[in-house]
Amino acid sequence: MKIPVLVPNIFDHPFTYNSDKKLNTGDYVLVPFGKNKITGVVWDHFEKNSNKEFKIKKIIEKLNIKPLDNKTIKFLNWFSEYNLIPKGMSLKLHLLSNEAIKKQKSIDYDQYNVKNKTLNFELSKEQKLVLNELNKNNKNFRVHLLQGVTGSGKTMVYFESIKEKIDKGYQGLILLPEIGLTSEFEKKFKEYFGFNPALWHSGISKKRKKVIWSGLLNGKIKVVIGARSALFLPFNKLGIIIVDEEHDQSFKQDEGLIYNARDMAISRASFENVPINLVSAVPSIETFENLKKKKYYFSRLFNRYKEASLPSHEIIDLKKYKLKNNSWISSKTIQIAKHHLEKGDQILFFLNRRGFAPYVLCKNCYKVYSCPNCSINLVYHKNKKKLLCHYCGFKSDLKRECKRNISGVCQFIFSGPGVEKIYEEVNLLFPNYKSHIFSSDTMNKKSSLDILNKIRNNEIKILIGTQLISKGFHFPNLNCIFVLDIDLSSQGHDLRGNEKNLQLYHQLSGRAGRTGNPSTVYFQTYNLNKEMISKLTSEDPFIFLEEELNLRKKNNLPPYERFISLILTSTNNLILDQDSDKLKKFLEKKINAKILGPVNAPIYKLKKNYRNRLLIRSNKSVKIQQSLALALKNFNFNSGIKLTVDVDPINFN
Ligand SMILES: [Zn+2]
Ligand SMILES: [Zn+2]
């Protein structure tokens, strides 16, 4: 009999095979494909209108694995259609690779065994109330937002909601935005539940991944904590999904297969018919709109746990307290910092720029160091003694022949501050206090747990941090934050600029005063936009979101319209321009939507490729993905042109 088999590769349809034995949808099978044998899954439909004539090959064997359930097959089909990702690639996300995940007999799952919880932890009255609300409607699919001020103990509340599900024999999935957070989170989990969750992210070994994959499928593993890709794991009996920090833009996979893991988690929950809890201090604008439309339930925690109070906010006017030459910390800031340090507080200088200096130029020939592969300046990293491209990883030494200097080499000026420069200044100003840089350059290594401990023990007194530090860390002694350059105007081309600022400064100020001591966040700025700063840091983010949503509505921006970015790339910019124009004209006849562009992308050259963008804007009620996918199948690109489709784009680089 003829059987449709989907294989994990770039094709958007199943292939037809022959089989003597009866097979069912969802069976994992080994099939010949080209010259190889690969694992595929018996799919729920045949390839549509295929006129191709070729010899039908025979299925080699049925694998001895519990079949893929219908709900997951439906989810993967939907995922492909929504994101314009070939079905075979969606299956690859589920299968991890092309080879078979065979049943492993002697796996020891002991560390994942459910034990009774060991921690004696009492929820506050407010937390208990919210927990009841979460558990009220949690039998079937529904979305519930848990919004709470930073430090209000949202995690403990949803841990309880998971526990209830585990007690009934279900499994839970927790999605986190950052791998950097998982080890600290794992510790918290273990303290609470008394057993290990399975951790799932790109840093986990292939061998461990196989253990987790089969452990979840056979129900031995109860809870998995993971980054985006955990969304595609098989479950024996999934009972609940949590998306923590749901607003975080790291949930958007921006390269390769592009999708938003938060949105896809909601759809997986709907196919599984299980509840999903979104958790955040400052929800995304999409989530906020769904609350307003009453599509989501929601609960709020207004108080910090154990009556800790939220930080107050002050502005340091840089017109009044002028910065000295080559200095980035004002005299007023120094005075306040000293006062806090003498009290024993930990302090943080926040600057969202990695490295030492964002521009390096020569004072004789004025040439700026830029990346040969990208249209981006190279950033000087003094610790590594290298110039780096933050986009493609290109490295260069700080040495260059000069055309206008008699001695023959360039003489460099380091323009603008990065955290490493602030670190130097801090060490000159406060030589008696231990300081540390907190950025992806210093916190991705094995030593980071040790550094986190030193910060928690108040051994490190001064932190100099980038955005990374705003992400959910708990530092009990941090009571004072200085934002060195709040710049609210720089994001002109980004429709999400305001929303991103709200989330950043809200999360950042949430790091201060978490154990009850009074705390303050200071903003050093030339631009005395008091109103803007107080809106960004208000205890109630809904006020800001309401305004932002009105603006979006007025301008027909998402979430009121559907945006789809088409990014064309090529090493040949002439062919790229031709194809971009041709594609626009072609699509205008085929789809019912407005098409903007083509324009050169803000980062025009990236990793040696030139980039053009088209933006499709359509009414949300139209099934634009379907007609777009069909149209794109019939468009012939010149060779060397690559197209990337980004549905619901977040970045417009
Ligand atoms: Zn580069
Ligand atoms: Zn020079």
Side-chain angles (χ1 to χ4, degrees):
M1 60 192 290
K2 283 181 182 169
I3 305 276
V5 177
L6 189 67
V7 286
N9 58 23
I10 56 156
F11 292 96
D12 192 34
H13 56 81
F15 289 85
T16 305
Y17 284 86
N18 257 328
S19 170
D20 308 334
K21 293 190 197 99
K22 189 177 160 10
L23 289 168
N24 295 311
T25 305
D27 283 341
Y28 292 88
V29 289
L30 193 65
V31 294
F33 195 85
K35 284 174 188 155
N36 304 314
K37 292 174 188 174
I38 56 176
T39 305
V41 175
V42 176
W43 215 243
D44 65 349
H45 62 268
F46 283 90
E47 181 185 3
K48 278 167 204 132
N49 350 300
S50 167
N51 316 318
K52 285 166 274 175
E53 283 284 331
F54 48 78
K55 203 174 141 232
I56 295 178
K57 290 180 182 168
K58 222 175 128 186
I59 288 171
I60 299 167
E61 61 168 328
K62 176 181 173 243
L63 300 176
N64 188 15
I65 308 172
K66 197 183 146 194
L68 183 60
D69 61 42
N70 224 347
K71 293 177 286 195
T72 314
I73 291 176
K74 286 212 166 73
F75 166 68
L76 292 174
N77 280 332
W78 182 88
F79 174 86
S80 283
E81 282 156 22
Y82 187 90
N83 296 296
L84 281 89
I85 287 175
K87 290 199 173 89
M89 293 311 281
S90 303
L91 181 66
K92 197 168 182 177
L93 287 168
H94 162 75
L95 277 176
L96 317 178
S97 66
N98 285 334
E99 44 174 317
I101 294 171
K102 295 220 179 70
K103 208 173 184 178
Q104 293 151 308
K105 280 196 180 101
S106 55
I107 297 175
D108 179 11
Y109 293 106
D110 258 10
Q111 58 164 324
Y112 302 120
N113 280 353
V114 174
K115 294 171 191 116
N116 288 328
K117 70 172 181 176
T118 51
L119 195 78
N120 55 36
F121 186 91
E122 175 100 44
L123 292 181
S124 72
K125 223 173 163 181
E126 192 186 37
Q127 285 174 316
K128 276 183 195 156
L129 219 75
V130 165
L131 176 65
N132 280 338
E133 288 170 4
L134 275 180
N135 286 351
K136 215 184 288 166
N137 293 299
N138 72 348
K139 290 225 164 47
N140 300 316
F141 171 68
R142 56 103 183 105
V143 189
H144 196 123
L145 171 74
L146 169 53
Q147 188 271 338
V149 295
T150 50
S152 57
K154 298 183 283 291
T155 315
M156 291 305 158
V157 176
Y158 75 69
F159 274 180
E160 279 290 323
S161 73
I162 294 171
K163 192 182 169 290
E164 200 220 36
K165 287 286 179 184
I166 296 174
D167 289 346
K168 288 180 181 155
Y170 290 100
Q171 293 167 302
L173 164 65
I174 304 174
L175 290 178
L176 296 182
E178 291 275 329
I179 304 172
L181 283 176
T182 44
S183 62
E184 201 182 17
F185 193 87
E186 184 190 18
K187 215 177 117 211
K188 206 166 167 184
F189 183 96
K190 209 177 163 186
E191 276 171 5
Y192 191 83
F193 287 92
F195 65 93
N196 284 315
L199 290 190
W200 186 272
H201 53 71
S202 55
I204 300 293
S205 74
K206 221 171 159 184
K207 204 173 146 198
R208 173 73 14 201
K209 280 191 168 173
K210 285 184 179 176
V211 170
I212 295 170
W213 200 93
S214 44
L216 284 167
L217 186 63
N218 63 29
K220 297 272 191 208
I221 295 176
K222 290 299 174 195
V223 181
V224 60
I225 295 175
R228 297 175 293 238
S229 56
L231 189 60
F232 302 96
L233 287 167
F235 289 89
N236 180 47
K237 201 179 169 191
L238 184 62
I240 190 165
I241 300 178
I242 311 280
V243 183
D244 202 352
E245 311 284 359
E246 68 89 21
H247 61 273
D248 199 302
Q249 274 138 20
S250 318
F251 280 123
K252 177 90 185 190
Q253 167 89 34
D254 258 335
E255 272 184 66
L257 303 176
I258 297 179
Y259 62 90
N260 186 321
R262 184 224 24 237
D263 297 346
M264 296 307 113
I266 293 170
S267 101
R268 175 133 199 209
S270 124
F271 282 104
E272 296 275 344
N273 197 19
V274 299
I276 178 166
N277 296 341
L278 306 179
V279 183
S280 177
V282 186
S284 65
I285 202 114
E286 284 78 10
T287 299
F288 184 67
E289 195 224 1
N290 281 316
L291 285 190
K292 300 214 49 162
K293 286 197 298 198
K294 299 205 159 59
K295 274 176 77 179
Y296 294 176
Y297 292 90
F298 87 109
S299 305
R300 297 181 79 174
L301 289 167
F302 290 96
N303 299 302
R304 277 193 153 181
Y305 188 63
K306 291 192 172 153
E307 268 123 55
S309 59
L310 284 157
S312 55
H313 298 92
E314 280 182 37
I315 291 175
I316 296 170
D317 182 358
L318 287 180
K319 282 182 206 129
K320 199 167 157 196
Y321 304 100
K322 289 205 167 67
L323 293 176
K324 283 190 206 132
N325 210 357
N326 220 1
S327 157
W328 309 96
I329 303 174
S330 76
S331 59
K332 180 76 181 170
T333 308
I334 297 168
Q335 188 198 334
I336 299 167
K338 266 199 183 130
H339 171 74
H340 278 278
L341 286 168
E342 277 160 15
K343 275 203 306 188
D345 286 345
Q346 196 169 49
I347 65 174
L348 160 68
F349 292 96
F350 175 79
L351 179 76
N352 202 13
R353 225 167 286 143
R354 290 164 53 204
F356 185 77
Y359 302 95
V360 181
L361 65 148
C362 169
K363 65 179 177 189
N364 296 307
C365 68
Y366 305 116
K367 218 174 123 187
V368 177
Y369 257 113
S370 58
C371 179
N373 308 325
C374 313
S375 39
I376 284 288
N377 288 325
L378 294 179
V379 176
Y380 184 56
H381 285 244
K382 208 170 184 177
N383 288 344
K384 294 176 181 144
K385 296 194 179 66
K386 291 270 184 230
L387 291 144
L388 297 184
C389 172
H390 288 175
Y391 287 84
C392 74
F394 174 83
K395 277 182 204 160
S396 163
D397 286 324
L398 191 65
K399 202 180 169 187
R400 192 170 59 185
E401 279 179 30
C402 189
K403 284 180 184 142
R404 303 197 53 183
N405 187 15
I406 317 145
S407 71
V409 285
C410 282
Q411 288 182 290
F412 294 111
I413 299 170
F414 299 99
S415 173
V419 280
E420 290 179 10
K421 200 180 263 181
I422 303 300
Y423 177 73
E424 281 190 358
E425 193 174 350
V426 161
N427 282 328
L428 285 175
L429 290 167
F430 313 104
N432 300 326
Y433 297 95
K434 202 169 176 177
S435 57
H436 200 275
I437 296 174
F438 200 104
S439 76
S440 56
D441 296 298
T442 62
M443 297 305 290
N444 262 343
K445 295 165 199 124
K446 280 199 174 134
S447 61
S448 68
L449 258 182
D450 180 48
I451 296 164
L452 282 173
N453 279 332
K454 281 189 180 146
I455 299 171
R456 265 185 230 113
N457 303 336
N458 212 5
E459 247 177 89
I460 294 171
K461 288 288 182 184
I462 307 175
L463 294 162
I464 301 105
T466 63
Q467 184 162 12
L468 182 68
I469 206 163
S470 69
K471 306 240 174 184
F473 294 97
H474 180 71
F475 301 137
N477 301 296
L478 182 64
N479 294 317
C480 169
I481 296 175
F482 297 99
V483 176
L484 291 182
D485 67 339
I486 182 159
D487 178 5
L488 304 172
S489 56
S490 68
Q491 315 220 20
H493 69 274
D494 188 349
L495 79 98
R496 290 175 194 271
N498 286 339
E499 190 191 350
K500 285 177 185 170
N501 273 330
L502 174 71
Q503 279 146 3
L504 172 61
Y505 291 111
H506 215 94
Q507 292 293 118
L508 181 69
S509 52
R511 297 312 108 211
R514 292 174 74 94
T515 40
N517 290 318
S519 59
T520 313
V521 182
Y522 300 90
F523 294 91
Q524 257 195 194
T525 178
Y526 290 104
N527 159 15
L528 270 191
N529 198 338
K530 266 195 188 141
E531 199 199 354
M532 189 65 167
I533 290 175
S534 80
K535 267 189 216 156
L536 284 176
T537 53
S538 157
E539 274 185 41
D540 187 357
F542 284 16
I543 299 167
F544 187 101
L545 286 170
E546 183 87 50
E547 268 182 38
E548 183 65 18
L549 202 58
N550 285 336
L551 256 167
R552 300 269 186 99
K553 191 168 192 174
K554 213 172 97 195
N555 297 311
N556 282 324
L557 295 170
Y560 296 98
E561 261 194 2
R562 164 105 44 239
F563 276 20
I564 300 177
S565 283
L566 303 180
I567 304 130
L568 288 89
T569 57
S570 172
T571 50
N572 182 329
N573 56 342
L574 295 176
I575 297 176
L576 178 69
D577 284 350
Q578 282 170 19
D579 261 22
S580 307
D581 287 329
K582 226 168 81 189
L583 179 62
K584 178 181 179 165
K585 283 185 192 121
F586 178 81
L587 289 179
E588 273 176 336
K589 280 180 247 151
K590 303 277 176 185
I591 62 172
N592 177 20
K594 215 167 157 187
I595 304 167
L596 306 180
V599 292
N600 297 153
I603 301 175
Y604 180 41
K605 197 177 160 201
L606 189 66
K607 299 176 186 173
K608 293 184 178 162
N609 282 294
Y610 296 96
R611 306 163 73 237
N612 280 350
R613 299 184 70 107
L614 289 167
L615 184 67
I616 297 172
R617 297 179 64 155
S618 93
N619 194 308
K620 271 190 138 176
S621 57
V622 184
K623 273 194 176 167
I624 190 74
Q625 281 100 322
Q626 222 172 17
S627 51
L628 179 62
L630 196 70
L632 288 174
K633 263 177 201 161
N634 294 315
F635 184 80
N636 290 319
F637 288 98
N638 268 306
S639 74
I641 300 275
K642 197 184 156 218
L643 172 75
T644 308
V645 182
D646 183 352
V647 179
D648 309 327
I650 284 190
N651 287 313
F652 294 82
N653 287 335

mmCIF file of all heavy atoms in Angstrom, residues 29 174 236 256 342 399 534 549 558 578 592 614-615 626:
data_model
loop_
_atom_site.group_PDB
_atom_site.id
_atom_site.type_symbol
_atom_site.label_atom_id
_atom_site.label_comp_id
_atom_site.label_asym_id
_atom_site.label_seq_id
_atom_site.Cartn_x
_atom_site.Cartn_y
_atom_site.Cartn_z
ATOM 1 N N VAL A 29 9.413 5.800 10.883
ATOM 2 C CA VAL A 29 9.894 4.776 9.958
ATOM 3 C C VAL A 29 11.274 5.134 9.415
ATOM 4 O O VAL A 29 11.654 6.299 9.386
ATOM 5 C CB VAL A 29 8.921 4.595 8.758
ATOM 6 C CG1 VAL A 29 7.632 3.916 9.183
ATOM 7 C CG2 VAL A 29 8.641 5.942 8.085
ATOM 8 N N ILE A 174 8.299 24.522 30.775
ATOM 9 C CA ILE A 174 8.553 25.922 31.105
ATOM 10 C C ILE A 174 9.509 26.493 30.066
ATOM 11 O O ILE A 174 10.616 25.976 29.888
ATOM 12 C CB ILE A 174 9.203 26.073 32.503
ATOM 13 C CG1 ILE A 174 8.334 25.422 33.581
ATOM 14 C CG2 ILE A 174 9.443 27.545 32.828
ATOM 15 C CD1 ILE A 174 8.995 25.408 34.957
ATOM 16 N N ASN A 236 4.483 12.695 26.684
ATOM 17 C CA ASN A 236 3.589 11.586 26.909
ATOM 18 C C ASN A 236 2.210 12.100 27.318
ATOM 19 O O ASN A 236 1.187 11.679 26.791
ATOM 20 C CB ASN A 236 4.176 10.682 28.001
ATOM 21 C CG ASN A 236 3.299 9.491 28.288
ATOM 22 O OD1 ASN A 236 2.856 8.831 27.357
ATOM 23 N ND2 ASN A 236 3.038 9.237 29.556
ATOM 24 N N GLY A 256 17.855 31.701 10.526
ATOM 25 C CA GLY A 256 17.509 30.344 10.103
ATOM 26 C C GLY A 256 16.005 30.213 9.971
ATOM 27 O O GLY A 256 15.378 30.931 9.215
ATOM 28 N N GLU A 342 29.322 53.589 51.025
ATOM 29 C CA GLU A 342 29.674 53.692 52.443
ATOM 30 C C GLU A 342 28.624 53.038 53.335
ATOM 31 O O GLU A 342 28.930 52.521 54.404
ATOM 32 C CB GLU A 342 29.883 55.172 52.827
ATOM 33 C CG GLU A 342 31.297 55.636 52.460
ATOM 34 C CD GLU A 342 31.429 57.153 52.341
ATOM 35 O OE1 GLU A 342 30.515 57.875 52.805
ATOM 36 O OE2 GLU A 342 32.442 57.608 51.766
ATOM 37 N N LYS A 399 45.992 47.520 14.668
ATOM 38 C CA LYS A 399 47.226 47.989 14.042
ATOM 39 C C LYS A 399 46.922 48.185 12.576
ATOM 40 O O LYS A 399 46.336 47.313 11.941
ATOM 41 C CB LYS A 399 48.327 46.937 14.221
ATOM 42 C CG LYS A 399 49.712 47.524 14.104
ATOM 43 C CD LYS A 399 50.780 46.483 14.290
ATOM 44 C CE LYS A 399 52.116 47.080 13.890
ATOM 45 N NZ LYS A 399 53.174 46.083 13.894
ATOM 46 N N SER A 534 9.183 58.911 33.861
ATOM 47 C CA SER A 534 8.262 58.429 34.899
ATOM 48 C C SER A 534 7.247 57.450 34.316
ATOM 49 O O SER A 534 6.822 56.517 34.977
ATOM 50 C CB SER A 534 7.604 59.593 35.647
ATOM 51 O OG SER A 534 6.545 60.100 34.894
ATOM 52 N N LEU A 549 -0.692 51.334 22.675
ATOM 53 C CA LEU A 549 -1.657 50.587 21.869
ATOM 54 C C LEU A 549 -2.532 51.542 21.043
ATOM 55 O O LEU A 549 -2.817 51.293 19.866
ATOM 56 C CB LEU A 549 -2.528 49.731 22.795
ATOM 57 C CG LEU A 549 -3.228 48.528 22.176
ATOM 58 C CD1 LEU A 549 -2.247 47.578 21.540
ATOM 59 C CD2 LEU A 549 -4.033 47.793 23.246
ATOM 60 N N PRO A 558 1.059 46.768 13.854
ATOM 61 C CA PRO A 558 0.763 45.576 14.663
ATOM 62 C C PRO A 558 0.538 45.979 16.115
ATOM 63 O O PRO A 558 1.195 46.925 16.550
ATOM 64 C CB PRO A 558 2.027 44.729 14.543
ATOM 65 C CG PRO A 558 2.722 45.229 13.319
ATOM 66 C CD PRO A 558 2.348 46.664 13.190
ATOM 67 N N GLN A 578 17.565 44.088 -8.852
ATOM 68 C CA GLN A 578 16.662 43.645 -9.927
ATOM 69 C C GLN A 578 15.587 42.698 -9.394
ATOM 70 O O GLN A 578 14.398 42.875 -9.628
ATOM 71 C CB GLN A 578 17.449 42.893 -11.011
ATOM 72 C CG GLN A 578 18.223 43.782 -11.958
ATOM 73 C CD GLN A 578 19.166 42.956 -12.826
ATOM 74 O OE1 GLN A 578 19.003 41.745 -12.963
ATOM 75 N NE2 GLN A 578 20.164 43.620 -13.402
ATOM 76 N N ASN A 592 -3.309 39.986 -1.858
ATOM 77 C CA ASN A 592 -4.179 41.086 -1.517
ATOM 78 C C ASN A 592 -3.623 41.808 -0.285
ATOM 79 O O ASN A 592 -4.107 41.648 0.826
ATOM 80 C CB ASN A 592 -5.576 40.518 -1.248
ATOM 81 C CG ASN A 592 -6.538 41.587 -0.824
ATOM 82 O OD1 ASN A 592 -6.316 42.774 -1.070
ATOM 83 N ND2 ASN A 592 -7.615 41.166 -0.151
ATOM 84 N N LEU A 614 11.451 43.937 1.790
ATOM 85 C CA LEU A 614 10.092 44.289 1.402
ATOM 86 C C LEU A 614 9.237 44.082 2.644
ATOM 87 O O LEU A 614 9.484 43.167 3.420
ATOM 88 C CB LEU A 614 9.577 43.351 0.299
ATOM 89 C CG LEU A 614 10.174 43.485 -1.102
ATOM 90 C CD1 LEU A 614 9.780 42.285 -1.938
ATOM 91 C CD2 LEU A 614 9.688 44.763 -1.750
ATOM 92 N N LEU A 615 8.257 44.939 2.823
ATOM 93 C CA LEU A 615 7.371 44.754 3.970
ATOM 94 C C LEU A 615 5.941 44.598 3.482
ATOM 95 O O LEU A 615 5.411 45.473 2.789
ATOM 96 C CB LEU A 615 7.480 45.951 4.924
ATOM 97 C CG LEU A 615 6.673 45.814 6.214
ATOM 98 C CD1 LEU A 615 7.231 44.710 7.100
ATOM 99 C CD2 LEU A 615 6.654 47.128 6.994
ATOM 100 N N GLN A 626 -1.095 32.002 3.278
ATOM 101 C CA GLN A 626 -1.427 30.998 2.280
ATOM 102 C C GLN A 626 -1.167 31.507 0.859
ATOM 103 O O GLN A 626 -0.491 30.854 0.069
ATOM 104 C CB GLN A 626 -2.908 30.650 2.422
ATOM 105 C CG GLN A 626 -3.187 29.194 2.304
ATOM 106 C CD GLN A 626 -4.644 28.903 2.641
ATOM 107 O OE1 GLN A 626 -5.501 29.792 2.656
ATOM 108 N NE2 GLN A 626 -4.923 27.650 2.910
#
